[in-house]
Amino acid sequence: MLDILYYFYCTLFSTFIKMKLKILLLFPFCFSTLIFAQKNTTLLEINKLINNWHKNAAEVHFEAYMNFLAEDAHYLGTDATENWTKKEFQTFAKPYFIKGKTWNFNALKRNIYFSVDKKTVWFDELLDTQMKICRGSGVLVKTGKDWKLKQYVLSMTIPNDKTKLVVQIKDTLESKLIRSYKQ
């Protein structure tokens, strides 16, 4: 009888040790999976927010489009003179929304980067637009539970072998602008 109890005790103890060992071995994997899932969820969330912002412009939803911008946001357009506060950008954009003739930007590729505290995000994106491929970049800040766009920069891409031609086209207008900024 003592042999049976000893065998039972050893088997139980051995099983318990193996379970603890499995738990200890699985813990780092579970923890890293949780961190990865959280980061992946945040990436999905940020992508969805930016995609919805672009979609709100395409679908002529002025309020939803503008509400994504922080109150102190800046929007930099493709023209050298387009550096707008939120209020200035609203004034510029409103007539397009009223006429139902807004812009339709669809991300072709996007890179997203997080600050260490996960409260600031910056991104760059290549966009399919009516101007062909454009580049957008922006900064999002977590405010309470919401993300707000603090800055967005839209620029047209220029193939390197066409730069001289584009510079010639821009020369007259932008030479005057350069002189005015230097004064």
Side-chain angles (χ1 to χ4, degrees):
M1 180 73 160
L2 202 52
D3 289 340
I4 294 172
L5 284 174
Y6 178 75
Y7 174 77
F8 177 74
Y9 173 77
C10 288
T11 305
L12 185 64
F13 184 74
S14 172
T15 304
F16 178 72
I17 294 298
K18 287 178 188 175
M19 282 177 39
K20 276 181 115 176
L21 185 59
K22 285 180 184 176
I23 290 170
L24 286 174
L25 290 173
L26 287 175
F27 181 75
F29 174 75
C30 293
F31 187 69
S32 65
T33 302
L34 181 64
I35 290 171
F36 178 76
Q38 182 180 6
K39 182 177 180 182
N40 199 28
T41 300
T42 307
L43 274 172
L44 291 173
E45 176 188 6
I46 297 300
N47 265 312
K48 185 177 179 182
L49 287 169
I50 299 166
N51 287 340
N52 283 340
W53 182 59
H54 289 315
K55 185 178 176 185
N56 283 328
E59 295 180 356
V60 196
H61 301 302
F62 182 78
E63 294 299 323
Y65 182 77
M66 291 300 169
N67 285 339
F68 186 57
L69 300 175
E71 290 306 311
D72 59 346
H74 281 265
Y75 189 105
L76 287 74
T78 57
D79 187 289
T81 63
E82 296 174 337
N83 185 343
W84 294 304
T85 63
K86 179 178 181 176
K87 188 172 182 128
E88 291 166 337
F89 183 56
Q90 287 173 316
T91 301
F92 164 80
K94 187 73 171 183
Y96 292 95
F97 280 84
I98 289 170
K99 292 176 191 169
K101 296 192 184 265
T102 54
W103 43 95
N104 188 5
F105 298 169
N106 292 292
L108 299 168
K109 179 182 177 187
R110 183 178 293 135
N111 298 303
I112 298 173
Y113 310 93
F114 294 88
S115 64
V116 175
D117 66 1
K118 305 279 191 258
K119 293 183 180 182
T120 304
V121 169
W122 57 100
F123 65 94
D124 60 85
E125 57 188 359
L126 288 178
L127 301 163
D128 178 9
T129 78
Q130 65 275 13
M131 299 174 280
K132 296 300 176 195
I133 294 178
C134 284
R135 182 180 319 273
S137 62
V139 177
L140 296 166
V141 176
K142 185 96 177 203
T143 309
K145 293 181 180 181
D146 297 324
W147 287 97
K148 292 291 184 177
L149 186 62
K150 293 281 268 185
Q151 183 181 54
Y152 191 75
V153 180
L154 179 66
S155 56
M156 294 177 70
T157 59
I158 301 168
N160 289 332
D161 63 341
K162 302 297 181 195
T163 300
K164 285 184 181 180
L165 178 62
V166 173
V167 170
Q168 288 174 349
I169 294 168
K170 294 171 33 148
D171 183 53
T172 304
L173 174 67
E174 290 191 1
S175 290
K176 291 176 189 174
L177 194 57
I178 289 168
R179 284 192 298 277
S180 74
Y181 283 131
K182 286 184 175 181
Q183 294 176 351

